[in-house]
Amino acid sequence: MSTPKALITGILGQDGAYLAQFLLEQGYHVYGLMRRYSNPTFENLQYLGIADEVEYVSGDMSDEASLLQIVKFTQPDEIYNLAAQSFVGSSWDQPRLTTEINGLGTLHLLNAMKIFAPYARFYQASTSEMFGGGSDENGEQTELTSFYPKSPYAISKLYAYWITVNFRESFGLYATNGILFNHESPLRGKEFVTRKISDGVARIKLGLQNELRLGNLDSKRDWGFAGDYVKAMWKMLQQEEGSDYILSTGESHSIREFLDIAFGYVGIEDWTPYVTTDPRFKRPAEVKTLQGKSDKARAQLNWEPEVSFEELVTMMVDADLQRLKSEPTS
Ligand code: NAP
Ligand code: G4F
């Protein structure tokens, strides 16, 4: 049997790195789409020790010609569309760019697959942000909960969600949406609240920083571990046909709870003297609570998250402590 080929967009991001690692372990040849940078950072892939095992292809989600060329050249069996302007806060500052990359970029990639690799299987990185906090009577989100996007990011992702469904229904493509709730790891970008906290707590513990400035501490999120979630992305592409699945832990925790565990782990029981609320980190519209019900994925994909909330928080703080001890200027 020939080696299966996967194309991952967003290869340098958090999920791109974990997914590449998982697919390489399964025996895939992994193509990673990265955009041109004068000084690209392979930090995440290096952290996992796989930077030299991926074949990089140069393209940009906002450049349709590059995507047509890449799909024609790579002839992938599976396409994982993870590339995005993924930071909700920035989407108010750069709404058009966010829409072009996340929304139209997905259309371009699906179109490239339709023309040059219609046999391939497509995974779209959809998001719990599309719900905007709407829920069923139990306060949870399911695959049937109505969407009510509250940011330009969420709106761009809603377009991508529906164009994926549309290509499945219109052209018979195998196209799947993973509606993923927040998932974190030591590879999470430092602007996201979990990594901002784990990095800040580690710096405070090591005497490199004395304050952590945050926005709304009352938001609640359903936080899982990215390494668990990429396995289900792959499982979604091994089914009889494409469908849409929620991935979540089913638990929701506030940022205050995250702070309790993170500071507690380094021996600081009262974090209030270190944390300042800064209006710059508040959003024009907030998604207050997300808590997903992933029964469909658990039953059909035989998947469940393995890392608990407490394990996730301590894993992240631990990784930042180790990183800062070896590179205090990073
Ligand atoms: P991430 O770390 O921000 O990675 C996103 C990647 O997309 C980055 O490597 C970035 O490249 C790349 N990218 C951005 N614009 C691009 C463009 N124009 N052309 C090509 N590549 C581009 O995000 P993540 O946490 O891994 O998330 C992966 C996907 O899942 C995203 O689509 C995100 O919206 C979605 N999602 C994430 C979560 C979560 O909790 N993590 C939950 C639901 C959905 P550079 O490195 O060059 O900037
Ligand atoms: O960590 P966040 O920036 O993640 P957010 O907005 O939930 O988005 C992440 O998860 C989505 C899935 O639900 C993905 F689609 C998306 O790509 C991304 O990965 O913020 C989490 C919460 C928000 O309520 C925010 O207002 O934390 C609150 N928060 C409070 N202080 C802060 C801060 N967020 C950030 N980034 N920085 C703060 O200082």
Side-chain angles (χ1 to χ4, degrees), residues 13-15 35 37 60-61 82 84 86 153 157 180 183:
Q14 169 187 259
D15 291 7
R35 48 186 171 168
Y37 262 124
D60 195 297
M61 296 306 292
L82 309 185
S86 72
Y153 167 80
K157 284 286 188 174
L180 271 52
H183 47 280

Side-chain angles (χ1 to χ4, degrees), residues 14-36:
Q14 169 187 259
D15 291 7
Y18 281 110
L19 179 63
Q21 181 186 47
F22 178 74
L23 293 177
L24 287 165
E25 285 165 5
Q26 307 304 309
Y28 280 71
H29 182 89
V30 175
Y31 293 100
L33 183 149
M34 51 178 281
R35 48 186 171 168
R36 193 217 157 249

Side-chain angles (χ1 to χ4, degrees), residues 9-16 33-35 37 41 44 59-62 81-87 97 101-102 123-129 153 157 178-184 187-189 191-192 226 233:
T9 73
I11 188 74
L12 303 184
Q14 169 187 259
D15 291 7
L33 183 149
M34 51 178 281
R35 48 186 171 168
Y37 262 124
T41 165
N44 286 344
D60 195 297
M61 296 306 292
S62 58
N81 184 30
L82 309 185
Q85 190 302 90
S86 72
F87 189 50
L97 185 69
I101 297 172
N102 301 2
Y123 173 86
Q124 170 55 23
S126 287
T127 166
S128 48
E129 275 288 305
Y153 167 80
K157 284 286 188 174
I179 307 172
L180 271 52
F181 284 60
N182 297 51
H183 47 280
E184 320 291 316
L187 304 187
R188 188 56 142 153
E191 76 265 62
F192 298 94
M233 293 178 188

